[in-house]
Amino acid sequence: MGQLLLVRHGQASFGAADYDVLSETGWAQGRLLGAFLAERGVVPDVVVRGDMRRHRETGEAMIEGAGWSVAPMQVDAGWDEFDHVGLVATAPDLPDEPMDRRTFQQVFERATARWTAGEPGDYPETYAAFAARVRGSLAAAAEQAGPGRTVVVVSSGGTIAVVAAALSDPDADPAGLARLWARFNTVMVNSSVSRVVVGSTGARLLSFNEHSHVSGDTLTYR
């Protein structure tokens, strides 16, 4: 069997002018993860990343921490996160004043509930389109994970949650998958790893949200 290691990016910069930049904690998380995987003998044949800065920087931090000598990371924009800022901006209950983390999270959860349910809205991307592009990128990565091969994918929580939901219950209807997605998406740790094995019967989820390499100040969710 081959395997995919799906890595959520390290902590980004909530509240900064540019969210799509790793914080110092995010860089540390990436290095810790790389060292953790290297200590366990993981040497990727391919590293794929989404086309966001936080994906690139997490990949660079991992490679540095692991000491891997790998080819340049492949870029697949299908692994990009959905536009959470644009999605929240469509919320009818958006407050006029700046939001702290707690308020933003509450508005975000209500907005994603409407989005995944397919309620009308001027969304940057529909949930159905988002899930479809992620499944396409999963299929492309799985093709590279032949017998004995390891593919590391650096992406985001929302995208990895799509994969986890789809592989956890392949027979679920769209509404059921959306509910699973919401549950997975809200608990993911920064720089966590979810393992997918790829064999003759296709891809299967082996583990979700592994994060034993981080603790204390390096354990973050946003």
Side-chain angles (χ1 to χ4, degrees):
M1 287 188 173
Q3 67 171 339
L4 302 176
L5 303 183
L6 307 182
V7 175
R8 187 190 179 197
H9 63 78
Q11 184 189 58
S13 300
F14 181 87
D18 186 359
Y19 172 80
D20 194 23
V21 178
L22 289 192
S23 67
E24 288 301 317
T25 297
W27 279 98
Q29 290 166 338
R31 296 186 189 103
L32 286 168
L33 175 58
F36 175 85
L37 294 175
E39 288 171 0
R40 284 150 183 79
V42 175
V43 180
D45 296 282
V46 180
V47 179
V48 181
R49 65 172 176 85
D51 195 20
M52 292 179 149
R53 179 171 175 174
R54 58 189 182 271
H55 300 156
R56 172 175 58 80
E57 291 182 343
T58 300
E60 291 170 350
M62 286 179 59
I63 291 169
E64 177 186 337
W68 289 329
S69 297
V70 296
M73 289 182 280
Q74 298 178 10
V75 180
D76 179 355
W79 287 109
D80 286 359
E81 183 65 286
F82 64 95
D83 182 359
H84 72 283
V85 174
L87 177 61
V88 167
T90 69
D93 55 349
L94 192 66
D96 295 328
E97 65 277 4
M99 293 180 286
D100 58 19
R101 284 179 180 266
R102 181 180 180 83
T103 303
F104 179 88
Q105 185 64 28
Q106 292 170 344
V107 174
F108 171 78
E109 290 181 6
R110 291 194 295 268
T112 54
R114 290 187 291 267
W115 180 57
T116 57
E119 293 184 14
D122 188 19
Y123 304 122
E125 179 182 32
T126 67
Y127 174 73
F130 167 63
R133 72 167 164 86
V134 173
R135 289 193 296 269
S137 292
L138 171 64
E143 286 183 1
Q144 298 196 71
R149 288 175 59 84
T150 296
V151 176
V152 171
V153 177
V154 185
S155 187
S156 291
T159 56
I160 296 170
V162 168
V163 175
L167 298 184
S168 294
D169 192 353
D171 299 322
D173 61 18
L177 287 176
R179 287 192 294 270
L180 279 174
W181 176 85
R183 292 175 181 174
F184 284 125
N185 188 47
T186 55
V187 298
M188 292 195 67
V189 171
N190 289 119
S191 77
S192 64
V193 180
S194 298
R195 298 174 187 261
V196 175
V197 293
V198 182
S200 59
T201 58
R204 295 186 179 184
L205 185 66
L206 181 64
S207 68
F208 172 73
N209 202 31
E210 297 178 33
H211 56 272
S212 59
H213 59 285
V214 289
S215 60
D217 291 342
T218 59
L219 177 61
T220 63
Y221 294 85
R222 291 288 181 267

